[in-house]
Amino acid sequence: MAFVKDMLRMWAHSWKRFISIAMITLLGVAVLTGIYAGCRDAFRSTDRFFDAQGLHDVQVLSTAGLSNGDIAALRKVNGVAKVQAERSQEVTFDLDGRKSATMQEIGTNGIDQPYLQEGRMPKKAGEIAVTRKFIRDSGKRIGSRLTVTPESASSDTSDTNGADGTNETNGTDEAPSFPTRLTIVGVVLDPRNLSNPDGYSAMTSFRSTATTDYTFFAPSDGVTGTLYTSATLLVKGAAAESTFDESYENTVKQVTDRIDGTVKTDRQNARRQELLDAGNKKIVDARAEADKKFADAQSQIDANRQQFNQQVDQIVSMQAGAAAAGAAANGANAGAAAAAGATTPQLDETTRETMRETIIAASPELTQAKQQLDQAQSQLNEQKASTEQTLKTKENELKTSIPQVRWYVQDRQSLGGFSALKSDLDSIQSLGNAFPIVFLLVAVMMSLTAMARMVEEDRSLIGTYVGLGYGRLAVASRYLLFALLACLIGGGLGLIAGFLGIPAFLLVVLQGMYVMPGLRLEYDWLYGSLGIALFVVGVLAATIYACVQEMRQTPAALMRPKAPRAGSRILLERIRPVWNRIGFLGKVTARNIFRFKSRLIMTVGGVAGCTALIVCGLAINDTVADLGIKQYRDIYQYDLMVVSDDSDASAMRTKVASDGRVTSSLDVRIESGDLTVAGSGDGDSGKAGSSGSESIQLVAVPEKHLSDLGEMVTLQPVSSGILGTSGVGKTGSLKLDDDGVIVAQSAASALGVKAGSKVRLTNGDGVQATAKVSAVNRNLIGSDVYVSETYYAKLFDSKDAKNTKNSKSSEDSEALTWNAMLAKLSGSDTSQTDYAESLEEDSSVMKAVSCAHMADSFKFDLMGAVVALIVALAGGLALVVLFTLANTNVSERVREMATLKVLGFFDREVHHYVNREMMILTVMGVILGLPLGRLVGGMLTMALNMPSLYFEVEVKPLSYVIAAVATMAFALLVQLFVNPVLDRIDPISSLKSVE
């Protein structure tokens, strides 16, 4: 019982060490669990929301729409739980200018159901539900009316390529059509895009995939058309997996591989055949209709000609009869004449035809009538020949005019809102996995320092207990239980902060960027217990080491005071010119600093670690803050990028040229595609040996203007470095040629691609080809892949390219359509931004992007909030570390301080004597921590592997100053707590001999 009481008394006396260990554990556990818990809560809530709203696992799109046969084929795929055929239509309306929207039919099979936020769901024709973004931008409310205008049908859904000869009696499918007079009855959240329109962040703008401004949701009532724009699928067993886990991706990939391997090719060919059959049927119908019209016209001409001939024959007969009567009058008798006159003379065909021609020539009316009949017959013959030639031409052109049908099988990663949320949370979680390691190392170092001093102070008592027969384990338990209790209390408080405080802060920031219904904080017993156990093991290991170091001595040696450390010279003493000029107290300070190496290492190491954490946090902040400026003002030298449809490319260039704002330009072709690391086998993506894929922007450059690319984009070759660094070559040393493609650094870093690698490229038509990477270009935002016109044709138009059945042969290939323009503009940044916005109002422009606007608007608010949190926690750790080291330093030197007071030192002089050593050690730690922070920052940026982003580590001089000043400020703050302890040292009691 006395042993226990003495142990409790010892604990109470060491409350400062207890608080220090508890605080370090609290901060470490909070960092370890807090960021993880915040991301996990966001992951789980969105996963539940996606399951509740039936967010599709797979979406199938087609360049020619989907027919009932396509839907039936998808239902038969093994692993598909549900298939929902969807119809949509793009419309325009006037809202402070021309705006576009997608009219989306609300599915009836429970897939992609909008989440009702206000009002009610639409039920009748003409009713719609809109997103909160539209309500905010338009100022409309529930009950407001809106009139929209359908956009003209695109070529891939026109009535010439909507055939479905197997399911439709008329051989054609109708494109979807929605009501145009609309009434808003509800406000909903689109589960495919959780971006918060009322939030403060616009950071996802650089990776937005939306093709229209808004989405309107309408019921099936009032929607016509049998051609589907897409099909959405739910996969069996996918709902049981977390949508953000690899197990979910593997489950879905099995189904997408089956669709790609069986259904896709068959239905592409079948659909194209349907279109060909529909086109042939139209030609047959047109020929039959033309033949009927020509037959009717010929019948009319024949009837008129018969009437004309009858009229002429009648005149011929009359003239022939009159001639015969005159001849008979000159005969023998009147009887014979009468008999002759009663009979019509018989004329041979030659005589009759001669008389017909004579009669027609003698009559202007008959001559004109005959000419009109002949002209009508000639025109009819010409029309028949022309129509037949036209129909034969259409028959010959039909196969080439109907392109190969292409399916696009996409998973949730193709949804811009989903991929943005996932990449944001993954990047933050990667930081949460890295920073606790530093906290754990600092915690172990400080625990070792504190517990070693605690055991050393009690060495005589330890010797007494061991001499009285107490086991070494029992004596050590006094300190092990002390450290364990401090860890458990600190860890418990850390769990509260980690599962409540930090997640609440992160989720507030997240909810400013995304809408996540049903969000709640959850506790993970396993992860929380392991978090505490990790720090308990580290601290107890340090405590055991300290106990073993002392208790391996005999009780007699432990009960005697520890012999003072033998005096020795320090290196500075050997430098006489310097040493001789240092005052007495300066020499004492130098000896105290360098003679006690353990104290030096612990203090400098602890301060350096905390400073490094602060620098690391600020480095990430500086890196993110400069991304937009570096990309849009340094790498991109052009001011404007304009993109149009292929059919509007010429009109777009004419429009831009007529405005007179462009000083220089470069016509290019821009397509959205994919880049996949080629496998070790046949190179197919998704097979063994492949290591991921990345969405890219494929930029084809005209052969005659390859050298002009360097004037629009800074071409600098880069090579991968270590610890987040990269070697950047000389500007202008990189040239685009016909031997390979230039890949952006952001994509190359994510996939591990380098110069000389083989990659699988997919162009805008879905055609794949293996390409050689000639170089990796410095690029931070977006994933551009530059290719020459010649190499593009070689990749995607060659008969030797893979999937040649889906690609055009070299004989049939057409010249590339330059659907985009990179241009340099005159005027200020504001005028350039306004000009880009005005261009988007033009019907020939699909997208206009101002680099000045992108540079100014690029933000990464979530990362900034997390960095602020990390810097705050690192600052707290620095404060605790300095407090622990300062108190340990004082406790070790109580007799020394008492001696100084006996010698006549005033309190202020004692303060200066002790604090000067701590300040020097702090400065040394800061000097070591600043480059260490840059190094750790480079390592952490390697963990921030986000789609379409490369973090080029940047640390501004101001950040180094802030880190140094903050650490020194914490050291000065600690002095305010240490000085009263120095003042309370009693010289008499402190100098009493232990013996």
Side-chain angles (χ1 to χ4, degrees), residues 765-841:
D765 292 329
V767 182
Q768 294 185 347
T770 300
K772 175 186 175 182
V773 178
S774 60
V776 176
N777 183 51
R778 178 173 175 254
N779 196 86
L780 307 181
I781 301 175
S783 296
D784 298 332
V785 175
Y786 300 101
V787 58
S788 68
E789 180 182 6
T790 301
Y791 196 60
Y792 183 97
K794 179 181 178 181
L795 291 176
F796 301 113
D797 291 343
S798 172
K799 291 183 178 181
D800 296 330
K802 192 100 174 185
N803 295 337
T804 50
K805 62 184 178 182
N806 293 336
S807 62
K808 294 182 287 185
S809 65
S810 58
E811 291 85 351
D812 297 332
S813 63
E814 300 178 357
L816 289 178
T817 300
W818 307 114
N819 66 340
M821 174 189 292
L822 308 179
K824 294 183 179 181
L825 302 178
S826 59
S828 63
D829 290 350
T830 303
S831 65
Q832 293 177 9
T833 301
D834 294 339
Y835 178 61
E837 293 176 354
S838 66
L839 279 179
E840 289 200 327
E841 303 298 328

Side-chain angles (χ1 to χ4, degrees), residues 417-628:
F418 175 86
S419 60
L421 174 63
K422 184 176 186 299
S423 63
D424 288 341
L425 294 178
D426 284 342
S427 63
I428 301 309
Q429 196 168 39
S430 64
L431 287 179
N433 296 334
F435 270 94
I437 298 175
V438 181
F439 278 77
L440 178 62
L441 292 176
V442 175
V444 172
M445 289 175 60
M446 294 304 102
S447 300
L448 179 60
T449 301
M451 296 309 299
R453 179 56 193 166
M454 186 176 181
V455 173
E456 185 178 341
E457 288 178 351
D458 290 345
R459 59 180 281 119
S460 60
L461 185 60
I462 292 172
T464 302
Y465 277 123
V466 173
L468 290 175
Y470 287 91
R472 283 179 167 78
L473 179 60
V475 176
S477 65
R478 294 158 48 94
Y479 310 101
L480 294 175
L481 292 176
F482 177 85
L484 176 62
L485 184 60
C487 285
L488 292 178
I489 293 177
L493 295 176
L495 291 181
I496 296 176
F499 283 98
L500 293 178
I502 295 178
F505 168 76
L506 290 178
L507 295 179
V508 167
V509 178
L510 280 171
Q511 287 176 322
M513 300 165 57
Y514 302 100
V515 179
M516 292 180 283
L519 185 62
R520 63 174 182 261
L521 302 179
E522 300 180 27
Y523 179 71
D524 188 335
W525 287 97
L526 178 61
Y527 196 85
S529 301
L530 290 177
I532 294 180
L534 183 63
F535 280 84
V536 166
V537 170
V539 173
L540 288 184
T543 305
I544 291 173
Y545 176 79
C547 292
V548 169
Q549 289 295 104
E550 290 291 337
M551 293 184 183
R552 62 186 178 183
Q553 302 180 43
T554 62
L558 289 172
M559 285 187 285
R560 287 194 298 269
K562 191 173 184 179
R565 193 174 189 130
S568 61
R569 290 176 176 270
I570 62 175
L571 179 62
L572 191 59
E573 293 186 50
R574 304 182 186 279
I575 307 176
R576 289 296 177 182
V578 177
W579 183 257
N580 292 335
R581 288 172 172 76
I582 299 177
F584 172 75
L585 292 180
K587 293 179 179 179
V588 173
T589 301
R591 287 195 179 100
N592 289 335
I593 290 175
F594 294 105
R595 284 181 60 203
F596 300 97
K597 294 181 175 56
S598 61
R599 184 198 306 165
L600 171 66
I601 294 173
M602 291 297 180
T603 305
V604 173
V607 174
C610 298
T611 305
L613 285 177
I614 297 175
V615 172
C616 182
L618 295 175
I620 296 175
N621 184 69
D622 292 343
T623 299
V624 172
D626 284 349
L627 279 179

